[in-house]
Amino acid sequence: CQEAIWEAFRIFLDRVPSPEEYRTWVNTCQHENLCMDELAQNFSSSQEHLDMMARVSNADSQQPYKVDISSQLVDLWMLK
């Protein structure tokens, strides 16, 4: 969970988590047994991610910006 959370912050939010955010997400991941799809869904539906995507879209001449994050996280998970 720890590496997946770190990478999810980097991929979905383009930043490093604060220590408290990191602990909260890792705790949730471990205690709720989140799979990679659920983790990706939680991050991709967060308001912070949606706001970032809107900014990228606007900066990219109104072209939608889409990335298959789920497969990236699964690929990272499989490398462990």
Side-chain angles (χ1 to χ4, degrees), residues 5-19:
I5 296 297
W6 190 264
E7 289 301 318
F9 265 93
R10 188 183 63 77
I11 292 168
F12 286 100
L13 306 179
D14 195 30
R15 67 180 179 85
V16 173
S18 71

Side-chain angles (χ1 to χ4, degrees), residues 9 13 25 28 36 54 59 66 68 80:
F9 265 93
L13 306 179
W25 274 98
T28 300
M36 289 300 106
K66 296 183 180 181
D68 184 4
K80 284 183 102 177

Side-chain angles (χ1 to χ4, degrees), residues 18-35:
S18 71
E20 181 60 30
E21 287 175 312
Y22 181 72
R23 278 191 299 272
T24 300
W25 274 98
V26 169
N27 188 37
T28 300
C29 180
Q30 290 173 338
H31 291 269
E32 294 182 18
N33 294 319
L34 295 178
C35 69

Side-chain angles (χ1 to χ4, degrees), residues 33-68:
N33 294 319
L34 295 178
C35 69
M36 289 300 106
D37 269 353
E38 292 168 323
L39 185 63
Q41 190 73 2
N42 288 345
F43 270 91
S44 67
S45 63
S46 72
Q47 190 60 51
E48 183 177 354
H49 176 72
L50 296 173
D51 291 345
M52 184 181 75
M53 296 305 287
R55 284 191 308 274
V56 169
S57 251
N58 288 336
D60 207 15
S61 302
Q62 304 302 321
Q63 295 294 323
Y65 179 75
K66 296 183 180 181
V67 177
D68 184 4

